[in-house]
Amino acid sequence: MAGPSPAVAATRLAVREALASLARGAAPGAAPGAAPGVAPGVAPDSGPVLVACSGGPDSLALAAATAHETRAGAVVVDHGLQDGSAEVATAAAARCRSFGMEPVEVVRVQVVADGSGPEAAARTARYVALDDAARRHRAVAVLLGHTLDDQAEQVLLGLARGSGARSLAAMAEVRGAYRRPFLALARSTVRASLVDLGLVGHEDPSNADPATARARVRHRLLPALEAELGPGVAAALARSAALLREDADALDLAAGDLLATVGPGPYEASVLARHPAAVRRRVLRQALVLAGCPAGSLGRAHVLAVDALLTHWRGQGPVSLPGGVRATRASGMLVLVPRHPNDPT
């Protein structure tokens, strides 16, 4: 009997390796009495692995591969942003059930405009829904279908925004309960696995809409780079993201250690000033968040203004920051003053 196609085998192996880092438990062949259908690394008495499945080709391929490897459920998030989205979500849930997945649920979310743009607002609503589903089902992991090509697109979008190392590091393979098994697989491989299984995913029309930056990167910029620089650009960008993530993780750790040494504030300006800017500014950002600045509203300009109180001190006045926090320098100390509860917002 013929085995799975190379593409199908690649997706299943990627899922198997992603699950291997979970808490060790009984698995087929691992010990007498192991529970059938439980992947290595997943305890048989634990909650399920959940797959975030939109019904699109990548997430549908992920659901099929995961259902083959382990006991799993699925969460289909319906953003309600397009005509027929409810029908697409229902069809995706039915397909997941046909794989033997349980539990499978459709969650309708409301996307609230928050000034970050429609794509970011939808992403926020989606992760809130996935977090809630993971808690309710006591999931051991939530799997996401992002591919190597998605990673490359994210890096290019970050470069266009003038982002730092943390943003250019793009998506992590593991972040808390979330895992991205396909992050090292090309989109073409993932979609070939779907064809080989005789499955068809729903193509989100927004993925081809030239009005969105991501669609232009996907259909114009990356193909142009491949044409001019040769094949392998997406893989190279993904490698750059991985290297930047290692650097950013190390710098964040160094900043956390330094903050633990010098904190809590007030902070001696001369002590902070003698550290490299990459570490010092991370310390400042962490300290500002602890003081009450909303992380999402804290930009580089804010951090640089506070950093100037350390490195370019000329008697300048306090720096007003998001969340009503003020930073000032007095007697050689950097003082962060949280917003008073009675202050106007």
Side-chain angles (χ1 to χ4, degrees):
M1 181 176 178
S5 71
V8 171
T11 59
R12 292 174 179 176
L13 178 60
V15 169
R16 196 177 311 146
E17 291 177 341
L19 296 177
S21 62
L22 296 174
R24 294 293 171 183
V38 179
V42 180
D45 59 348
S46 63
V49 171
L50 292 178
V51 174
C53 183
S54 66
D58 301 335
S59 65
L60 194 60
L62 177 60
T66 305
H68 181 272
E69 292 297 319
T70 190
R71 180 182 75 244
V75 180
V76 182
V77 179
D78 175 14
H79 299 91
L81 296 176
Q82 297 169 353
D83 292 339
S85 66
E87 289 77 9
V88 171
T90 299
R95 177 58 73 182
C96 288
R97 292 189 185 99
S98 76
F99 298 153
M101 304 181 84
E102 180 64 33
V104 175
E105 64 177 43
V106 175
V107 180
R108 179 73 179 261
V109 298
Q110 183 175 8
V111 178
V112 179
D114 57 5
S116 61
E119 184 179 354
R123 182 171 58 248
T124 297
R126 181 165 60 252
Y127 278 106
V128 169
L130 293 174
D131 286 345
D132 180 62
R135 282 191 297 269
R136 284 188 286 104
H137 296 294
R138 298 178 57 248
V140 294
V142 179
L143 307 188
L144 306 172
H146 299 109
T147 68
L148 180 147
D149 298 77
D150 293 312
Q151 187 79 312
E153 292 162 11
Q154 194 72 12
V155 174
L156 289 173
L157 288 167
L159 284 170
R161 291 191 298 265
S163 303
R166 176 55 67 190
S167 180
L168 294 178
M171 296 175 285
E173 290 186 16
V174 178
R175 182 177 63 82
Y178 291 99
R179 282 166 169 73
R180 294 180 171 92
F182 291 170
L183 211 54
L185 292 183
R187 184 179 291 130
S188 58
T189 299
V190 172
R191 298 195 172 193
S193 76
L194 208 62
V195 173
D196 293 341
L197 291 171
L199 300 171
V200 178
H202 170 74
E203 292 287 357
D204 186 340
S206 68
N207 289 333
D209 183 358
T212 66
R214 184 173 294 277
R216 294 194 298 274
V217 167
R218 177 174 300 184
H219 298 291
R220 297 178 186 175
L221 182 55
L222 262 177
L225 289 173
E226 294 272 357
E228 294 298 327
L229 302 178
V233 170
L237 288 167
R239 284 196 302 274
S240 295
L243 292 169
L244 284 166
R245 181 167 294 279
E246 292 175 0
D247 292 347
D249 287 346
L251 289 168
D252 286 345
L253 181 61
D257 289 344
L258 178 56
L259 183 60
T261 300
V262 300
Y267 306 95
E268 191 170 347
S270 61
V271 171
L272 288 178
R274 64 173 175 251
H275 288 275
V279 174
R280 182 180 69 246
R281 290 169 183 168
R282 280 173 165 79
V283 169
L284 292 177
R285 180 176 179 81
Q286 292 178 23
L288 292 172
V289 171
L290 289 173
C293 292
S297 302
L298 194 59
R300 178 171 171 80
H302 300 124
V303 175
L304 290 178
V306 177
D307 192 46
L309 297 176
L310 306 176
T311 60
H312 295 83
W313 172 244
R314 299 185 181 87
Q316 60 264 43
V319 177
S320 297
L321 298 159
V325 176
R326 289 185 300 113
T328 188
R329 177 165 172 162
S331 302
M333 305 295 289
L334 175 66
V335 183
L336 303 181
V337 184
R339 182 181 71 85
H340 190 277
N342 294 328
D343 288 347
T345 56

